[in-house]
Amino acid sequence: MGPVTTLDAAARALPLLDLTSLNDDDTEERIAALCARAVTPAGSVAAVCIYPRFIPVAKQLLENKGVAIATVVNFPGGGASAAEVAGETRAAVAAGADEIDVVLPWRDFMAGERTVPRDVLRACRDACGDGILMKVILETGGLADAGLIEQAGRDAVAAGADFLKTSTGKLQPAATLEAAAILLDVIRDCGRPVGFKAAGGIRDTAGAAAYLHLADTVMGPGWATPATFRFGASGLLDALLADLGHGATGQKPSSGY
């Protein structure tokens, strides 16, 4: 194979994108604009990722468009109880969410607590039911320590995670290649299909390409598909489209993603 071009990388990354708006001041109008951006001249993104209150408007606008609706629970702090997380999850699924991005109680995890994080994730898993993806946000920038990140990833997989996700995008550092490498190693060795999501701070094609190259190296070429690999981002879409020759798609999002 020859060298990967910017065009190749952008074309590969776009269908892996969870186009995200998780701003405290989001409005239905802003989410409608996000949904309009999700179907592009170069194809559709994998999902939009929004707060639960916006699921109905997104569901209406994206019906039959081939774009999944992802939402967040226990977000961003990770401090809710298992019962609260179960309730949030059930409500989001009932409203039409296809994917649940749940925050691991990472501060408890850092403090040595294992039962509470496990119970929260299992409650979310049970509330998701069949057919709903559970993406576990580990907040790797908060955990910081490689050993903790690895153990959190293993515990999330044991609790039923369908994806391991780096970050909320609300804490710095967000996604890093170092954390991604640890989580991809966990996924490779876990014995069942689990996906990976890099979220926060990935804003250009070169950045996306670095994560895809890492996934190719650890998991093998061709592993990264929308079923196994996502980018959580807001500004990345415009960069990808520009590199694909389609110019900008409108307003620049203000999210930390």
Side-chain angles (χ1 to χ4, degrees), residues 14-105:
L14 190 146
L16 307 178
L17 183 60
D18 283 1
L19 184 61
T20 300
S21 191
L22 294 168
N23 304 294
D24 293 338
D25 61 349
D26 276 346
T27 61
E28 287 199 359
E29 292 74 20
R30 185 181 288 170
I31 299 307
L34 186 85
C35 291
R37 297 173 64 227
V39 180
T40 85
S44 298
V45 302
V48 295
C49 188
I50 54 178
Y51 277 121
R53 65 185 180 275
F54 298 115
I55 294 171
V57 65
K59 187 173 176 62
Q60 181 180 5
L61 291 169
L62 292 172
E63 190 172 11
N64 299 319
K65 297 288 179 64
V67 177
I69 298 171
T71 195
V72 289
V73 303
N74 203 22
F75 186 93
S81 68
E84 289 167 334
V85 169
E88 283 184 74
T89 303
R90 282 193 297 267
V93 171
D98 302 299
E99 304 177 0
I100 301 293
D101 289 29
V102 58
V103 180
L104 174 83

Side-chain angles (χ1 to χ4, degrees), residues 191-239:
R192 68 174 177 86
V194 175
F196 170 75
K197 179 173 173 178
I202 303 161
R203 296 189 170 90
D204 58 29
T205 301
Y211 284 92
L212 289 171
H213 176 71
L214 177 64
D216 289 345
T217 302
V218 176
M219 302 299 298
W223 175 80
T225 70
T228 57
F229 191 103
R230 302 286 181 85
F231 292 109
S234 54
L236 178 59
L237 179 60
D238 282 337

Side-chain angles (χ1 to χ4, degrees), residues 117-170:
R118 180 196 66 202
D119 289 351
V120 164
L121 296 186
R122 287 184 175 172
C124 183
R125 176 75 271 168
D126 290 345
C128 281
D130 295 331
I132 304 297
L133 283 184
M134 183 174 84
K135 309 208 283 291
V136 177
I137 306 171
L138 300 174
E139 202 67 287
T140 54
L143 292 174
D145 176 78
L148 274 182
I149 293 169
E150 179 183 356
Q151 189 58 55
R154 293 187 188 284
D155 283 11
V157 169
D162 295 305
F163 272 73
L164 300 180
K165 175 178 173 182
T166 58
S167 321
T168 60
K170 302 291 187 182

